[in-house]
Amino acid sequence: MAGELYVVGFGPGCPSARTPEAVEAIKAADVVIGYKTYIELISDLLEGKEVVSAGMREEVYRARKALELAGEGRRVAVVSDGDPQVFGMAPLVLEMASKLDAPVSIKVVPGVTAALAAGALLGAPLGSDFAVINLSPLLTPRGVILERVRQAAAAGFVLALYNPIDKQLLRDVLAVLRQIRGGGTPVGVVKDAYRQGQRVAVTTLNNVDVESVDMRTTLIVGNDETYVWRRFLITPRGYHRKYAYP
Ligand code: SAH
């Protein structure tokens, strides 16, 4: 009999930021498959389970293995941090399953993605339309990334920038943003949101400390209306254009 495959987002890290549905899906699985850092973050849920952990660039292996094991009748959870659709395992698993027309039941379980976790720690920087952009040049050409940043910034989106793993590309992105938005635009830099060692900094496009940004960091770049109050980044939703308040 064909098994079940859950593609689960367990949120930014700490147990309290997991959804009950994610916890149930992981607990119900016989086999849990994930990148080794992710497996460590959910180790409290793994007792008695078979665990397949693989390195960073082994996503294709993980997806294939998950489909194979589910095809043998096992109950499998593939885990991603944050949400599994957002630069996680859900698209790859479903692409592969669709190509194979795999005879397994598949369910995607959502999680709190880094932009929302980082956004909450900063207050409300995502208060207006925002774009989520992956800065890793691994699967997207650098020119495409820069052009997406340019167009999203020109269109007025707040930006949530994931995977800032390439320092030169990050410098180029910041230069493009300064040109369009101005160097004084507020930026939130959040490292290890909802994890041990969490760091939240508010700065400006001119002052982002590129050296301190790493692959566990999400940057949120404000739009033209975003401002700083106390430790908060606030992007108005637009009520001020319609109503007089407070
Ligand atoms: N599926 C994940 C994203 C995976 S891509 C999600 O929905 O959040 C990996 C990138 O996500 C990292 O490079 C970083 O930019 C961001 N990220 C994931 N977890 C984070 C955390 N706890 N704190 C800050 N950034 C995080």
Side-chain angles (χ1 to χ4, degrees):
M1 196 191 75
E4 288 169 52
L5 177 50
Y6 291 83
V7 191
V8 183
F10 60 81
C14 73
S16 60
R18 299 171 184 155
T19 68
E21 191 186 8
V23 172
E24 274 164 36
I26 295 169
K27 278 189 173 164
D30 314 315
V31 189
V32 177
I33 301 183
Y35 171 46
K36 41 187 184 312
T37 308
Y38 300 166
I39 292 292
E40 281 162 26
L41 285 168
I42 54 164
S43 56
D44 57 307
L45 301 174
L46 299 180
E47 211 182 304
K49 298 187 190 307
E50 185 181 330
V51 173
V52 180
S53 82
M56 256 296 244
R57 301 191 176 172
E58 294 168 41
E59 287 90 352
V60 172
Y61 165 80
R62 270 181 266 153
R64 191 181 292 125
K65 187 84 186 163
L67 286 165
E68 264 172 34
L69 291 169
E72 289 165 11
R74 314 285 297 277
R75 207 175 161 120
V76 181
V78 177
V79 295
S80 283
D81 71 341
D83 182 274
Q85 286 186 82
V86 185
F87 317 130
M89 289 295 290
L92 179 60
V93 167
L94 281 170
E95 270 180 79
M96 213 182 266
S98 69
K99 293 211 162 97
L100 298 167
D101 197 17
V104 293
S105 128
I106 301 176
K107 189 167 179 201
V108 177
V109 180
V112 176
T113 190
L116 302 184
L121 293 171
L122 290 161
L126 307 177
S128 184
D129 295 2
F130 65 95
V132 171
I133 300 180
N134 184 357
L135 298 189
S136 164
L138 218 60
L139 301 176
T140 312
R142 313 166 86 85
V144 172
I145 294 173
L146 281 169
E147 194 50 29
R148 285 183 182 159
V149 167
R150 188 189 315 279
Q151 294 199 25
F157 289 101
V158 171
L159 303 182
L161 303 174
Y162 285 50
N163 267 318
I165 52 173
D166 183 310
K167 301 251 183 257
Q168 189 50 51
L169 183 55
L170 178 59
R171 283 193 195 94
D172 295 347
V173 160
L174 293 170
V176 164
L177 289 170
R178 277 194 293 270
Q179 256 174 20
I180 297 173
R181 294 245 159 113
T185 303
V187 178
V189 182
V190 179
K191 184 167 175 176
D192 287 320
Y194 289 82
R195 290 182 191 169
Q196 214 157 25
Q198 169 180 295
R199 291 227 314 260
V200 181
V202 172
T203 179
T204 61
L205 276 176
N206 274 338
N207 292 310
V208 173
D209 175 14
V210 171
E211 288 315 313
S212 76
V213 170
D214 63 12
M215 62 177 292
R216 304 197 316 267
T217 307
T218 298
L219 293 105
I220 298 188
V221 181
N223 67 15
D224 290 343
E225 293 190 320
T226 306
Y227 64 97
V228 180
W229 173 68
R230 293 189 182 156
R231 61 179 181 84
F232 297 117
L233 274 190
I234 304 170
T235 302
R237 238 194 103 186
Y239 291 110
H240 61 292
R241 283 188 281 278
K242 201 161 172 195
Y243 303 101
Y245 57 85

